[in-house]
Amino acid sequence: MKQALPVRSGINGWHVLFGMIAFFVTVTAVDSVMIYDAISTFGGDTPDAYRTGLRYNQRIADERRQDELGWTEATKFDSATGVFSVTLKDREGRSIDDLQISGSIGRPATDVADRNLVLAAAGEGGYTVTLPNLAEGNWDISLFASQGDAAHRSVVYRSKVRLWKQP
């Protein structure tokens, strides 16, 4: 008569090995999906971050030159008409005319509603643009004031303005 071997129950080394392999395969699969989703939905804040970083010292020098000008700005937004205006004055309070002011407007957290702006001279240092159908909430406006003709135009003043359109 043959004697039956006792059946061992419980966890042995093979169970632990397969459990660890399954755990790490699962973690790797989930991480891969998350990395793919992150990369495919967000391309980064700066289109060319490396070159932008190289120009950082130039930007600091431009900001120093702007500060030396002593220009001041006053902005106003009329929610009823959608007219945004900016007035520039020099250190002595004289209006600054003969500038070409352009820029962009967009939401702080997304670029879906971004659009370019060109402000028209309104006299006495004032420049205006109409923003039709502007939705309620926060908006960031970046302005660039330049001087000179089309061939030799240089930016002399930069500004960022946070706009709040109330409902």
Side-chain angles (χ1 to χ4, degrees), residues 1-162:
M1 175 158 158
K2 291 186 178 182
Q3 190 165 10
L5 294 173
V7 177
R8 292 191 301 178
S9 62
I11 298 176
N12 62 30
W14 289 107
H15 293 119
V16 174
L17 175 65
F18 288 133
M20 288 184 67
I21 289 172
F23 171 77
F24 284 108
V25 166
T26 304
V27 168
T28 302
V30 170
D31 284 350
S32 298
V33 168
M34 290 179 148
I35 289 170
Y36 174 78
D37 284 345
I39 291 173
S40 66
T41 59
F42 182 69
D45 286 335
T46 307
D48 192 358
Y50 176 72
R51 295 196 195 293
T52 302
L54 291 177
R55 290 190 299 265
Y56 184 68
N57 288 337
Q58 179 64 39
R59 183 171 176 180
I60 291 173
D62 291 344
E63 288 178 6
R64 280 193 190 122
R65 278 194 296 279
Q66 178 174 321
D67 289 343
E68 289 170 2
L69 291 173
W71 292 3
T72 58
E73 70 179 44
T75 59
K76 189 171 97 173
F77 178 68
D78 185 355
S79 293
T81 61
V83 174
F84 173 77
S85 62
V86 60
T87 304
L88 294 173
K89 298 201 180 282
D90 67 9
R91 192 180 316 258
E92 286 79 33
R94 295 184 301 246
S95 61
I96 302 170
D97 296 312
D98 301 325
L99 296 174
Q100 295 84 32
I101 299 183
S102 61
S104 63
I105 183 170
R107 296 283 192 179
T110 182
D111 60 358
V112 173
D114 286 5
R115 43 185 154 155
N116 293 325
L117 305 174
V118 176
L119 283 75
E124 298 188 20
Y127 300 87
T128 63
V129 65
T130 302
L131 304 170
N133 304 323
L134 192 65
E136 293 87 11
N138 281 326
W139 293 89
D140 283 339
I141 300 178
S142 297
L143 299 173
F144 306 97
S146 55
Q147 287 180 320
D149 60 3
H152 299 90
R153 186 171 293 166
S154 63
V155 174
V156 292
Y157 189 80
R158 297 172 196 267
S159 176
K160 275 198 158 210
V161 178
R162 176 65 57 99

